Amino acid sequence: MKMMLKLKFAIITLLIIGSQSVMAQTKTVQGVITDPSGFPLPGASVNVEGSKNSASTDFDGKYSLKGVNPTDKITFSYVGLVSQTITVGTRATIDVVLALSTQSLSEVVVAYGTQKRAKVTGAISTVSSKDIAAVPITNAESALQGRAAGVTVVNGAPGSSPTVSIRGLSTMGNSAPLYVIDGVLTGNLSGLSPNDIESISVLKDASTTALYGSKAFNGVIVVTTKKGKKGPGQLNFSTYVGGQTVTKRYDVLNTQQYLQYAKDLGSDLTARAAEFGNINTNWQDQIFQTGLMQDYNLSFSNGTETSTSRYSAEYMKQEGAIINTGFERYSFRANNTQDIGKLRVGSNIGVSFSTTNPERSSGGRTLLEHAIKMAPYFPIYNTNNLGGYQGPSAVDGNDAENPVRVANLGYQKINGLSIIGNIFAELELYKGLKFRSQVSLDYYTSKDHTFIPSFQDGSYHKQAFSTTNETNGQGQTIVFDNSLTYKTTIAGKHNLEVLGVITKIDGKSQTLAAGSRYSISDDIDQLRYNEGSLGSANYVEKNIGYIARINYDYNDKYLLAVSGRRDASSRFGANNRWGNFYSVAVGWNIAKEDFMENSVFSTLKLRASTGTTGNDRIDNYQYSATLIANYNYPIGGANAPGVSLGVASNPNLKWESKLDRNIGLDFGLFEDKFTGSFEYFNNKSSDILFAVPLPASVGSAGGGTQIQNIADVKVSGFEISLGYNDRKGDFTWSAVANLGTSKNEVTALAPGVTSVLGGPTPRAGLENFSRLEVGQPLFYFYGYQTNGIYQNQAEVDAVFGPGQTTIKPGDIKIVDRDGNKVINSNDKTNIGNPYPDFTYGLNLSAAYKNFDFNCFITGVQGNDIYNANTFDLKGMNRLFNASTAVLDRAIVVNGVVTNPSATLPRAQGADINWSSANQRYIEDGSYTRLKNVALGYTFSGDAFKAYFSKIRFYVSGQNLVTITKYDGLDPEIARADANANSAGIDLGRYPQPKSVIFGLDVTF
């Protein structure tokens, strides 16, 4: 009996112990996941290794995971942060702080690698994926606008690359920075989806750019794309849709006002207007539209202990704010890495297909110029005319073209293919010693096809045949990089990194242009031999560089970085093909000193750098002579075909070089709650390359040039960045502000060169108005100062003397600066500076529970714009539609101005009123713009957690408010064309539209 009781007791005891063991194996683990600043991470993944048991965090970063065993390992992961794997053990609560990954802001991407921010000695600004995602953009360059001190970004038409400038203008040719995407050197970011970007680093001084050699003269923008992360797979989908429009218009004459104005100029068009029914067409309203914008992006990423991968696809379509303009892009990206023992191999490949419908022009005039000049009494359409549009005839005295016909009749499409990517292998040869070999490809094709059928709007504008023109281009750049890197720490405090690289660049390109006419039918859009034209061109470019860099620091306190590069470029002749560049930088992490212990400073670093970079960004083969064909010579009373000198040879052409000097201070207070940096730079560019016009006496047919090393330029300025982060409580907010200044001055010109005129001649008869001169900014605005209007003949005679001039009352007073009673080029002076005194940006972000808010403001101050549209609207040299301001022009009766308060001269007055470059066309280009404002909401609750890690809806507006004194449609002006000598000139550029979009972000 006793034995039976003992056996029952033993069995019960075992059952109790067993049940406790089973209970212990199925406990619930919970906790909170945050980033290093304590900010909760919604949508973070929590996964038990080797099982399907998983969960994700809610908006407050909280998670709960049931059925967990003490021996289980849980992996905590979040995109952009380092995953952690923790063994459960006896804990029921596990709070996790995920560290920033090497692609986060704790490390900065530099040339050929990354570097801890605390050890950076050069000038670098960084924009994170979070900042990029805050503003829906179609091109990645726009993410930098107002977010990086010293970086100026001006956007253009859909599909065009923005004009980007780093620390002002240091050269007179190609001033665009170098772009590097995952180590691939390229010219822009047009084929890259902003959704694929992890971070953007802007390298500004020689310490950070010298390793890129000749390509880095204008600074470097290094883009790191998103990679796969270790942990469970994550699927993301994002989309937005909205509309964009231009609301501002030039105030021009209506039909009634125009008819009276024409009568004042000697043309009675009353009967002509009656032919069309006395209508009133606002041509600006006809060329502007509300364009639809839409974007769809899908990505998947995952990773194991030995491999990572991320795949993405995007479709984006943007209808322009101007009729028949737009941009469409399909882009795909695949990033992979695989570890095989001590060998890591990987690839980063991006492919994009695009179609651009550019803004069309005709007769050397932009669409906007036609719209503001066109008479308002014309209808848009006329079915009796060939082509179906109405335009002017000789009786109208106005040769502007119907802008709707220019935009819509026929079509122009530019189809592009871009492949940018690399493959690499990295092998650890010895502890700390790695060899890396990489091959990069930048490949593109372009097909620009234009078809215009026959038409006749009136007697001025007609075409009795259809035309087809096509230009096909193809190019590629292959870069071979082989590098050795050695990292070691000696005695626990001496940290050393040595890098050696050999890089070789092979580039080639070819274009084929053809055109033809077809007089039989408008239905045939094909090239043909008869009545055709054909031309082609190609080039080969080669560079080779030898690179070395040493980074040393003592106990993370005292920093030293030294680099050197020797480059050879095929763009120079044998005399000066090689160039040498270097940099030296030092830094002092003051916050790490013992005497700073327990201070309010979490970061305090002083740094300085100096070094050189080179520039070879000129056309290929400029060191040798070229010829202009199809030039006719008069021989024996008849034209004889021949050739003329195009580009004159210059075998002594040499590298343009720049000496950079930079001093910076970085600081952070109270665990980097307050952050900031101050920079001062003083750079000098020497032997600047420029195409100097050739005189006819050397045998040039006109328009011939010679590339010369012509000038030296000094550029200096300050940059300030300040930030604040409050990440505690239900309400959190942050503010980041930056300001950058840049001043350039020509310090020397080549012997025999006193000045160079530049800038496009935008209108017939209007002078060039940009000038290069020692002591002045690069291509400042050069012309006459004005001082009101002559009120009577006595005022004219007091300046010029009786009978000494064709100027009459009602004409502009040109300031006689030398007082010799003669107005000529000696009286011209500096009338404006196209470069701003400073640029700035302010980014405000806030979150309250499930709501998030972002407001982004950017602007420029102190720049001038040469508004060439003023010439069209207020020139009054001939009959075109004009600004309503001409109604208050000077009226002269019997040699006296009857309205002395008039600010515009008389109509059809002296040539100097309209043809000369003068202050009439100069306007203040300063502006402040609400670039983006967005409000979002992230859904939470058990109903959403079952299917989504994150689901967020938002509404966003761009360019909604602009404060400016500029009379043009948009003060965001870079230059009239690709040349630096046209800076600040508005020829009727594509204005930035206002837009409102609705978006959705989903993570599964």
Side-chain angles (χ1 to χ4, degrees):
M1 188 67 164
K2 289 182 179 181
M3 286 294 295
M4 290 296 295
L5 288 173
K6 288 180 180 180
L7 182 59
K8 290 181 179 179
F9 180 78
I11 292 173
I12 293 172
T13 301
L14 289 172
L15 289 174
I16 293 175
I17 294 174
S19 66
Q20 288 177 340
S21 176
V22 171
M23 291 176 63
Q25 292 173 354
T26 59
K27 66 180 178 181
T28 298
V29 175
Q30 59 187 4
V32 178
I33 302 178
T34 60
D35 66 11
S37 64
F39 186 73
L41 298 174
S45 297
V46 183
N47 182 68
V48 176
E49 284 194 353
S51 76
K52 296 182 178 180
N53 190 6
S54 63
S56 60
T57 56
D58 61 17
F59 187 79
D60 297 317
K62 297 178 180 179
Y63 72 92
S64 180
L65 194 61
K66 298 178 179 179
V68 180
N69 297 318
T71 57
D72 284 341
K73 293 181 178 180
I74 302 178
T75 298
F76 304 88
S77 60
Y78 189 81
V79 174
L81 302 178
V82 177
S83 300
Q84 280 193 42
T85 301
I86 298 174
T87 302
V88 175
T90 60
R91 289 178 292 178
T93 299
I94 301 177
D95 295 331
V96 178
V97 178
L98 296 182
L100 296 172
S101 72
T102 57
Q103 302 300 334
S104 70
L105 298 185
S106 64
E107 290 205 4
V108 179
V109 180
V110 295
Y112 301 99
T114 62
Q115 192 172 19
K116 290 183 178 179
R117 180 170 290 275
K119 295 185 179 183
V120 170
T121 51
I124 301 178
S125 293
T126 305
V127 179
S128 68
S129 58
K130 180 181 178 182
D131 295 326
I132 297 170
V135 182
I137 52 177
T138 58
N139 50 69
E141 293 98 327
S142 297
L144 296 171
Q145 188 173 26
R147 297 185 183 276
V151 180
T152 303
V153 180
V154 180
N155 295 285
S160 65
S161 296
T163 301
V164 181
S165 176
I166 299 175
R167 290 189 165 178
L169 190 64
S170 300
T171 185
M172 289 147 52
N174 187 336
S175 60
L178 169 68
Y179 296 91
V180 181
I181 305 174
D182 292 331
V184 182
L185 279 58
T186 185
N188 57 64
L189 305 179
S190 60
L192 179 63
S193 168
N195 294 286
D196 287 332
I197 297 177
E198 181 70 31
S199 69
I200 302 177
S201 293
V202 182
L203 315 184
K204 306 176 187 178
D205 69 336
S207 174
T208 55
T209 64
L211 289 191
Y212 288 114
S214 62
K215 306 298 183 183
F217 188 87
N218 301 308
V220 183
I221 295 176
V222 182
V223 178
T224 302
T225 61
K226 295 176 180 177
K227 307 297 192 297
K229 307 294 180 182
K230 294 180 180 179
Q234 191 171 71
L235 182 67
N236 294 85
F237 173 75
S238 63
T239 183
Y240 66 76
V241 64
Q244 57 178 2
T245 187
V246 174
T247 58
K248 191 174 182 179
R249 303 285 189 270
Y250 284 110
D251 192 5
V252 297
L253 303 175
N254 60 32
T255 295
Q256 183 179 359
Q257 294 168 327
Y258 181 81
L259 293 176
Q260 181 59 52
Y261 173 67
K263 188 176 293 185
D264 293 344
L265 269 60
S267 298
D268 189 347
L269 299 171
T270 304
R272 178 66 166 163
E275 290 182 28
F276 301 113
N278 291 313
I279 62 174
N280 184 44
T281 302
N282 187 320
W283 291 100
Q284 292 176 86
D285 286 347
Q286 298 304 315
I287 66 169
F288 290 118
Q289 66 176 3
T290 298
L292 177 67
M293 303 168 59
Q294 52 187 316
D295 182 274
Y296 308 91
N297 186 275
L298 184 67
S299 66
F300 175 78
S301 65
N302 69 342
T304 66
E305 291 299 320
T306 59
S307 66
T308 63
S309 61
R310 183 181 186 272
Y311 306 95
S312 66
E314 181 202 47
Y315 171 70
M316 188 273 292
K317 186 175 183 180
Q318 178 186 11
E319 294 179 353
I322 291 180
I323 57 175
N324 206 17
T325 63
F327 181 64
E328 185 177 28
R329 180 179 66 209
Y330 296 86
S331 61
F332 307 89
R333 174 160 289 274
N335 295 340
N336 296 277
T337 64
Q338 178 70 52
D339 293 336
I340 309 170
K342 294 185 177 183
L343 175 67
R344 166 169 288 191
V345 295
S347 63
N348 303 281
I349 307 294
V351 180
S352 71
F353 304 87
S354 64
T355 300
T356 304
N357 297 105
E359 178 186 1
R360 298 169 70 184
S361 61
S362 181
R365 296 170 178 166
T366 65
L367 211 61
L368 180 60
E369 184 182 352
H370 286 304
I372 62 179
K373 282 184 170 182
M374 190 71 168
Y377 59 72
F378 288 124
I380 304 168
Y381 306 102
N382 187 338
T383 55
N384 296 321
N385 288 340
L386 178 63
Y389 293 89
Q390 182 61 53
S393 295
V395 66
D396 299 294
N398 178 328
D399 66 352
E401 298 187 52
N402 185 324
V404 179
R405 189 262 300 162
V406 173
N408 286 343
L409 187 64
Y411 70 93
Q412 181 180 7
K413 285 186 178 181
I414 304 174
N415 293 319
L417 163 67
S418 172
I419 302 174
I420 297 177
N422 63 16
I423 56 175
F424 66 88
E426 186 177 84
L427 177 64
E428 186 175 8
L429 302 173
Y430 181 73
K431 183 179 180 181
L433 179 63
K434 291 183 179 180
F435 172 75
R436 180 183 174 98
S437 185
Q438 175 175 294
V439 179
S440 304
L441 172 67
D442 181 2
Y443 175 84
Y444 73 88
T445 63
S446 175
K447 177 182 177 182
D448 186 343
H449 188 94
T450 302
F451 173 73
I452 302 176
S454 60
F455 65 89
Q456 181 169 357
D457 298 350
S459 63
Y460 273 149
H461 305 298
K462 55 188 177 180
Q463 180 176 291
F465 43 80
S466 65
T467 60
T468 299
N469 290 280
E470 183 170 302
T471 300
N472 290 327
Q474 175 183 330
Q476 67 181 39
T477 300
I478 300 177
V479 182
F480 303 90
D481 289 321
N482 290 288
S483 64
L484 272 175
T485 305
Y486 179 66
K487 293 183 180 180
T488 187
T489 299
I490 303 171
K493 294 184 177 181
H494 300 274
N495 301 305
L496 180 67
E497 179 186 359
V498 181
L499 169 70
V501 184
I502 299 176
T503 182
K504 185 176 183 293
I505 302 175
D506 287 334
K508 63 180 181 180
S509 175
Q510 60 184 26
T511 58
L512 177 66
S516 66
R517 297 177 177 181
Y518 200 76
S519 302
I520 305 301
S521 171
D522 285 333
D523 296 326
I524 300 177
D525 177 17
Q526 296 293 329
L527 293 166
R528 59 198 304 269
Y529 178 73
N530 294 335
E531 297 185 272
S533 61
L534 182 66
S536 66
N538 61 70
Y539 77 81
V540 174
E541 176 191 0
K542 292 183 180 294
N543 294 73
I544 189 168
Y546 302 96
I547 306 163
R549 180 180 65 195
I550 298 174
N551 289 336
Y552 168 80
D553 72 84
Y554 175 75
N555 204 25
D556 292 343
K557 295 180 184 179
Y558 312 114
L559 315 171
L560 173 66
V562 180
S563 70
R565 176 163 179 151
R566 180 167 171 79
D567 259 335
S569 171
S570 63
R571 288 177 172 169
F572 300 108
N575 294 358
N576 296 293
R577 182 150 288 169
W578 288 90
N580 300 312
F581 314 105
Y582 73 92
S583 73
V584 178
V586 294
W588 180 21
N589 268 322
I590 306 172
K592 293 185 178 293
E593 296 287 358
D594 293 340
F595 59 80
M596 294 294 292
E597 191 174 354
N598 299 322
S599 73
V600 297
F601 286 97
S602 46
T603 301
L604 185 61
K605 180 174 63 176
L606 182 65
R607 48 188 169 77
S609 67
T610 185
T612 59
T613 51
N615 186 24
D616 67 345
R617 291 194 179 187
I618 54 176
D619 290 338
N620 291 283
Y621 315 118
Q622 297 296 296
Y623 56 85
S624 63
T626 63
L627 299 175
I628 299 175
N630 300 322
Y631 184 73
N632 292 325
Y633 289 87
I635 299 176
N639 287 332
V643 296
S644 174
L645 180 65
V647 174
S649 65
N650 185 355
N652 295 319
L653 205 63
K654 61 182 179 180
W655 287 86
E656 183 177 326
S657 64
K658 183 175 63 171
L659 173 63
D660 285 357
R661 289 160 291 193
N662 189 88
I663 298 175
L665 176 69
D666 304 322
F667 65 89
L669 301 172
F670 307 110
E671 298 300 323
D672 285 352
K673 190 172 187 178
F674 297 90
T675 59
S677 67
F678 299 94
E679 305 269 0
Y680 170 73
F681 62 92
N682 190 324
N683 306 332
K684 182 181 179 181
S685 300
S686 302
D687 301 318
I688 290 180
L689 297 160
F690 186 69
V692 179
L694 291 173
S697 60
V698 302
S700 171
T705 60
Q706 183 184 48
I707 296 291
Q708 299 178 9
N709 297 99
I710 192 175
D712 295 347
V713 175
K714 180 178 70 174
V715 183
S716 61
F718 294 90
E719 295 170 0
I720 302 172
S721 298
L722 299 172
Y724 172 79
N725 292 286
D726 179 8
R727 297 193 179 277
K728 294 182 179 181
D730 288 338
F731 177 77
T732 60
W733 69 284
S734 66
V736 179
N738 70 77
L739 181 147
T741 73
S742 176
K743 179 181 179 181
N744 71 71
E745 178 186 339
V746 178
T747 57
L749 290 173
V753 179
T754 57
S755 65
V756 177
L757 285 176
T761 303
R763 306 292 183 262
L766 186 60
E767 298 176 326
N768 291 109
F769 36 72
S770 297
R771 192 185 192 194
L772 183 72
E773 182 184 11
V774 173
Q776 298 286 353
L778 275 168
F779 291 107
Y780 66 96
F781 297 142
Y782 180 68
Y784 294 114
Q785 293 176 324
T786 60
N787 188 24
I789 293 172
Y790 289 108
Q791 300 296 310
N792 51 58
Q793 190 62 42
E795 288 188 1
V796 176
D797 293 342
V799 175
F800 299 100
Q804 299 301 309
T805 181
T806 58
I807 293 176
K808 297 179 180 180
D811 291 332
I812 289 177
K813 287 183 179 180
I814 301 295
V815 176
D816 184 13
R817 298 186 69 248
D818 56 12
N820 66 352
K821 296 185 180 299
V822 176
I823 300 298
N824 56 29
S825 60
N826 294 331
D827 296 307
K828 291 185 177 181
T829 187
N830 186 334
I831 58 173
N833 187 344
Y835 313 108
D837 294 332
F838 60 87
T839 61
Y840 56 90
L842 174 64
N843 189 43
L844 302 173
S845 298
Y848 177 72
K849 293 186 176 179
N850 291 27
F851 289 96
D852 61 87
F853 172 80
N854 177 263
C855 176
F856 179 43
I857 298 170
T858 185
V860 302
Q861 182 66 39
N863 64 304
D864 296 311
I865 296 176
Y866 204 114
N867 188 355
N869 301 292
T870 301
F871 171 78
D872 298 323
L873 295 168
K874 302 176 183 179
M876 297 180 290
N877 61 310
R878 56 173 291 193
L879 181 59
F880 287 115
N881 203 359
S883 167
T884 54
V886 304
L887 300 175
D888 297 321
R889 68 191 182 278
I891 304 298
V892 182
V893 178
N894 297 324
V896 177
V897 176
T898 61
N899 53 338
S901 62
T903 58
L904 293 185
R906 64 190 176 104
Q908 295 181 323
D911 287 351
I912 204 167
N913 288 350
W914 56 273
S915 64
S916 64
N918 61 63
Q919 284 180 317
R920 289 186 64 195
Y921 310 123
I922 302 297
E923 298 185 36
D924 182 3
S926 304
Y927 71 88
T928 298
R929 172 165 282 172
L930 179 59
K931 194 64 183 176
N932 183 74
V933 60
L935 179 65
Y937 182 82
T938 300
F939 293 91
S940 61
D942 293 337
F944 294 99
K945 290 181 183 179
Y947 302 99
F948 307 106
S949 296
K950 176 185 177 183
I951 179 168
R952 174 179 175 264
F953 174 80
Y954 66 91
V955 58
S956 175
Q958 289 79 44
N959 305 320
L960 298 182
V961 178
T962 301
I963 302 172
T964 184
K965 295 180 181 179
Y966 182 58
D967 286 337
L969 298 188
D970 184 15
E972 193 173 307
I973 301 294
R975 57 191 61 157
D977 52 36
N979 297 314
N981 63 12
S982 65
I985 300 172
D986 185 359
L987 300 183
R989 68 173 276 109
Y990 201 110
Q992 292 302 294
K994 298 179 179 180
S995 63
V996 176
I997 67 170
F998 300 88
L1000 179 68
D1001 295 326
V1002 181
T1003 301
F1004 297 92

